Amino acid sequence: QAVIANLARERLFIHAGVVGWENQAILIPGESRSGKTSLVEAFLRAGATYYSDEYAVLDPDGRVHPFPRALGVRHRQDNGWTRQPVEGLGVSVGQTPLPVGLVLLTEYKPTAHWRPRSVTRGQAALALFAHTFVAHREPTLALGILQRAVAAATALKGARGEADEVVGRVLARLSTSQAQSAC
């Protein structure tokens, strides 16, 4: 899959988890073992639509396409992992591309409490760029797509503890923002 991500010409692959919420994508970029999958799982339990736990796949307009695959679930006790098919979770799987609504720049720290700070769209684009497969080979192309992707997005950054706490607070914040913009 990494080979596909590196060779893709029509899509930009970012190492990130992705869920859909109210017709917008939530991107969770990060390295392996940063807690992307646990956040994706928590969002799914809260009713989000599954897009991917491994790659955010962006088209030239910056919209996120589904890349569903079995969740790569890590086991804390033995540090191993297994693939868990999403079909058995009873969740909806994304079918259509979505605009990016939120970028969560976070990493799991066992003792952390979620106290995010807003970051600029430029900072969000650069953070996504750091996790983009072709960034070193085609930086201009990647930055152009990322700029379009985050043009209307919110970005939050901060260390986090347990995923369920973060998801509850993020979804409450999104609901409040959408209610205010509807007025």
Side-chain angles (χ1 to χ4, degrees):
Q1 291 176 356
V3 171
I4 293 169
N6 274 306
L7 296 177
R9 296 282 180 232
E10 301 297 318
R11 299 282 188 260
L12 186 67
F13 281 70
I14 302 167
H15 196 215
V18 184
V19 295
W21 186 261
E22 297 183 357
N23 298 314
Q24 294 187 353
I26 299 172
L27 271 60
I28 310 161
E31 300 296 325
S32 294
R33 305 175 69 107
S34 64
K36 295 183 311 293
T37 299
S38 60
L39 274 175
V40 167
E41 285 181 296
F43 275 112
L44 296 177
R45 286 191 300 273
T49 301
Y50 180 64
Y51 272 67
S52 181
D53 80 323
E54 191 68 28
Y55 299 117
V57 181
L58 279 61
D59 66 23
D61 295 324
R63 294 173 303 164
V64 183
H65 289 256
F67 193 82
R69 54 184 237 148
L71 294 171
V73 180
R74 294 210 185 268
H75 308 285
R76 287 186 187 173
Q77 63 274 17
D78 65 3
N79 217 16
W81 63 278
T82 57
R83 292 259 170 229
Q84 181 178 359
V86 292
E87 297 80 16
L89 299 176
V91 300
S92 61
V93 177
Q95 302 295 316
T96 59
L98 295 176
V100 177
L102 177 64
V103 179
L104 286 180
L105 306 172
T106 187
E107 187 172 344
Y108 174 74
K109 304 282 184 198
T111 60
H113 294 284
W114 180 240
R115 291 184 184 93
R117 63 177 170 54
S118 295
V119 297
T120 68
R121 290 182 180 113
Q123 290 169 316
L126 289 174
L128 291 170
F129 183 79
H131 298 285
T132 300
F133 280 84
V134 298
H136 66 285
R137 194 175 70 238
E138 299 192 42
T140 304
L141 172 74
L143 284 171
I145 292 172
L146 292 172
Q147 275 186 307
R148 288 185 288 281
V150 300
T154 299
L156 300 174
K157 182 176 184 174
R160 69 165 184 88
E162 296 305 316
D164 289 325
E165 173 199 358
V166 174
V167 168
R169 292 181 58 198
V170 165
L171 295 181
R173 184 176 181 150
L174 289 176
S175 295
T176 301
S177 296
Q178 289 174 350
Q180 288 173 349
S181 65
C183 295

